[in-house]
Amino acid sequence: MHDILLSEDQRMIRDSARAFAQGRIAPGAAARDRSGAFPHEEMQALGAQGFLGMLVPEALGGVGADHLSYVMAIEEMAAADGSIGAMMALHNGLVLNPLLRHGTPMQQERYLRPLARGRMMGAFGLTEPEAGSNAFALATRAERVAGGYRLSGTKQFMSNGKSADIAIVFAAVDSDDPRRRITAFLVAPGAPGYSVLRIEEKLGLSASETAQVGLDGVFVADDHVLGTLGGGYALAMGTLELGRLGIAAQSVGLMRAAFDLALAHARERRTFGKALIEHQAVGFRLADMRMRLETGRAYLHHAARLRDAGQDCRTEAALAKLHASESAEWVASEAIQVLGGYGYLRDHAAERLFRDARICRIYEGTSDIQRMIVAAELARGAGRGG
């Protein structure tokens, strides 16, 4: 990264994130991966350092950073531990962002402020067993009752669904207009009728809790509707743009960690009388890995700068996530190839990075969804090559 392109504040945030990630987060990454335990202490430490309220103004308990600083900080956390990087992106992007943009003064004071400081943890419940990428297919219903609503349904792949203090849950209200059915609600996981049906066992991101949640007539008061009634679809789509930048940043961090491992090994390992990197096949592989890393990071920063400038970056966010996530899986795989048999061992970081990287092509919209977004813009004649 060329520091000349960064402001003093941006460099300071990136450097402090790197120091914290390498000093506090990285040493326990392998143990957390093995145990799968929720990293309460680590998340509280992130909050104390300001990394859980990066985009929230100081007046509301955050640090008021820009989006470029935000994605650089996620890169650092993900390079140290993919699970922590994913949880940081979820907390900032999918929980605090909609509360900041759509929350009432009461909701912001009660939830946004403690969330930004790491005193509370948040969850986001949109996906369902039969409704993944198609949010209009939500089966969870919100029935109007005196003083509020009762939510009934099932949420799938809900990050922090068990351990969160407050969750943003999407459900459908009665409406003749399909686009005015979906509504966002603030739900306490401890509320009667809220139950964790199971904690999923995953290929990677083991310390990032993923739950299937049942809602059986969970009461939500009127003042816990987030945004406008029927405005949940627009809220979700606006939230996912920032979420995709977060996943792209997570992908860049995992990619960087895998590249650094492979490069260090190739410099130290000697075969046939010379360093592994001096063999053309290995040197070329590392050159391609660096190309993916640098282009992925550069385009992510371009998208973040557009958002900082107040520009629509829906397509750029899709492109950033598409490129970075697919590159992360490829680079992690190539790192194992450089390391040979050692990279395939469970106790080597390369194996964990490969498992952690695989999900990036799936959540916050699959690679196919990102291609659909880009293709739709091209069909409208809005996209061009420069």
Side-chain angles (χ1 to χ4, degrees):
M1 159 156 326
H2 298 291
D3 281 10
I4 194 173
L5 300 178
L6 303 178
S7 70
E8 183 177 349
D9 285 346
Q10 290 166 342
R11 285 194 299 272
M12 181 185 68
I13 290 173
R14 182 206 57 191
D15 293 347
S16 64
R18 180 171 299 173
F20 178 83
Q22 293 304 313
R24 180 69 174 82
I25 300 301
R32 288 189 294 271
D33 177 63
R34 289 191 296 269
S35 72
F38 191 91
H40 288 285
E41 293 184 5
E42 289 78 7
M43 295 307 291
Q44 289 173 0
L46 253 71
Q49 294 291 320
F51 293 117
L52 294 185
M54 290 196 68
L55 301 174
V56 175
E58 293 183 31
L60 290 173
V63 298
D66 61 10
H67 290 84
L68 180 56
S69 298
Y70 169 63
V71 298
M72 288 193 295
I74 292 178
E75 175 188 333
E76 297 301 332
M77 299 306 162
D81 184 341
S83 291
I84 299 294
M87 293 174 70
M88 177 183 168
L90 161 79
H91 191 88
N92 279 278
L94 299 189
V95 181
L96 271 70
N97 180 56
L99 270 167
L100 178 63
R101 295 177 60 191
H102 303 282
T104 65
M106 179 279 288
Q107 292 169 351
Q108 291 181 350
E109 188 64 29
R110 185 170 178 179
Y111 299 116
L112 181 62
R113 188 179 297 276
L115 284 164
R117 294 174 176 172
R119 296 173 185 170
M120 295 179 72
M121 291 302 303
F124 185 84
L126 176 63
T127 302
E128 297 182 0
E130 301 300 325
S133 299
N134 181 11
F136 287 122
L138 287 186
T140 298
R141 291 291 181 267
E143 179 187 1
R144 185 69 172 134
V145 296
Y149 296 84
R150 288 200 177 274
L151 275 57
S152 298
T154 303
K155 291 298 176 179
Q156 182 66 29
F157 304 134
M158 191 168 171
S159 297
N160 299 350
K162 177 182 178 181
S163 298
D165 301 286
I166 194 68
I168 298 175
V169 176
F170 294 82
V173 299
D174 289 334
S175 175
D176 294 333
D177 183 354
R179 290 184 176 269
R180 301 300 299 173
R181 293 171 58 248
I182 302 170
T183 302
F185 299 87
L186 293 170
V187 180
Y194 184 109
S195 61
V196 178
L197 303 180
R198 67 170 178 264
I199 300 297
E200 305 290 358
E201 296 185 10
K202 311 186 297 294
L203 176 68
L205 299 186
S206 300
S208 174
E209 178 184 276
T210 305
Q212 185 182 74
V213 171
L215 304 166
D216 185 9
V218 177
F219 177 74
V220 181
D222 284 325
D223 62 3
H224 277 56
V225 172
L226 181 61
T228 60
L229 196 65
Y233 181 78
L235 185 151
M237 294 304 102
T239 297
L240 290 176
E241 177 186 294
L242 180 58
R244 285 162 183 161
L245 291 182
I247 301 308
Q250 178 189 338
S251 301
V252 170
L254 292 166
M255 193 172 8
R256 190 189 91 204
F259 173 73
D260 287 347
L261 280 175
L263 180 61
H265 179 79
R267 285 171 172 169
E268 296 168 5
R269 172 76 166 164
R270 297 187 65 82
T271 61
F272 301 101
K274 57 183 177 181
L276 195 60
I277 197 170
E278 295 176 16
H279 295 280
Q280 188 180 71
V282 176
F284 279 12
R285 177 172 283 118
L286 287 162
D288 285 343
M289 292 165 71
R290 183 176 178 187
M291 174 188 68
R292 298 281 192 113
L293 171 60
E294 297 290 358
T295 56
R297 179 190 285 134
Y299 196 80
L300 168 63
H301 288 191
H302 166 65
R305 286 188 169 100
L306 285 177
R307 193 171 173 101
D308 282 329
Q311 300 296 309
D312 176 18
C313 67
R314 180 172 182 262
T315 302
E316 287 79 7
L319 283 167
K321 180 189 182 293
L322 176 63
H323 177 66
S325 63
E326 298 204 340
S327 294
E329 182 186 352
W330 184 85
V331 168
S333 178
E334 291 300 285
I336 291 175
Q337 198 68 26
V338 172
L339 288 155
Y342 294 104
Y344 196 67
L345 299 178
R346 179 58 64 89
D347 61 355
H348 200 290
E351 181 266 351
R352 170 169 48 85
L353 291 166
F354 179 73
R355 288 187 288 107
D356 286 352
R358 185 59 184 87
I359 187 61
C360 295
R361 290 176 54 196
I362 299 173
Y363 63 0
E364 301 295 330
T366 66
S367 288
D368 290 337
I369 291 295
Q370 310 313 315
R371 288 185 168 93
M372 286 172 61
I373 292 170
V374 177
E377 183 192 47
L378 294 174
R380 291 192 303 269
R384 59 183 187 275

